[in-house]
Amino acid sequence: MKVYLKQPFQVEQFDGSNEMIDKYELIDAGTMLGTHHSTELYLTGSGKVDVGDWIATGVNGEHWAVKNDVFKKTYAELPVISEKLDYHIQLYKRNNYGITDMLYDLTDEVCPDANLTKDDIARTWLDGYQVEGHK
């Protein structure tokens, strides 16, 4: 699951896939020690990464690992929003509009979820969110 946090970093939960191993250039412990392949993977400069841990990426492209239990204790679960609302938020941010402009222009078509108030939507703009159906 990809999670979008307000800057200065974004995180992605490590699923153990070869795609993520390559993406984050994880190093096999066996390779580091000159021995056989092992199941232990390391993020350069950050230590061991297990499936379920989170890999954070800073504004300068640097990566570090955060254990899952630490992540859950440190960061509140982000709200889940529709792809339509995500598109709307990103459009306004890309065009340098402010949050009040976006909230003023919101319609039921863009945000059909009756459970989300404008205050909730403002928090997603400020704090980050997850997009419905994105894993």
Side-chain angles (χ1 to χ4, degrees):
M1 168 187 319
K2 255 191 186 174
V3 177
Y4 299 90
L5 301 174
K6 74 177 190 176
Q7 292 301 327
F9 65 94
Q10 292 185 352
V11 294
E12 186 171 10
Q13 194 167 28
F14 180 57
D15 63 9
S17 68
N18 287 332
E19 180 183 306
M20 288 188 77
I21 290 170
D22 292 343
K23 178 180 180 178
Y24 294 106
E25 300 176 353
L26 299 180
I27 301 168
D28 182 307
T31 303
M32 288 181 356
L33 300 173
T35 60
H36 298 20
H37 178 77
S38 76
T39 58
E40 292 185 3
L41 296 168
Y42 289 82
L43 186 60
T44 304
S46 183
K48 186 177 174 195
V49 179
D50 295 312
V51 171
D53 289 348
W54 295 83
I55 299 175
T57 302
V59 294
N60 295 318
E62 71 278 16
H63 303 296
W64 65 94
V66 180
K67 293 293 177 195
N68 189 42
D69 60 334
V70 172
F71 183 82
K72 286 182 177 181
K73 289 177 188 173
T74 307
Y75 302 99
E77 189 171 329
L78 296 172
V80 177
I81 65 171
S82 68
E83 287 184 357
K84 279 185 178 183
L85 183 55
D86 171 49
Y87 175 80
H88 196 71
I89 290 171
Q90 294 306 318
L91 177 68
Y92 275 69
K93 286 185 174 187
R94 257 193 323 273
N95 290 305
N96 296 314
Y97 287 106
I99 189 171
T100 53
D101 296 318
M102 186 213 43
L103 291 172
Y104 181 79
D105 292 343
L106 272 181
T107 64
D108 289 340
E109 183 182 326
V110 172
C111 186
D113 187 346
N115 295 328
L116 287 178
T117 66
K118 286 194 175 188
D119 286 344
D120 296 331
I121 295 167
R123 293 287 0 141
T124 64
W125 175 290
L126 297 169
D127 296 337
Y129 54 87
Q130 301 177 64
V131 179
E132 187 174 71
H134 284 221
K135 299 239 180 211

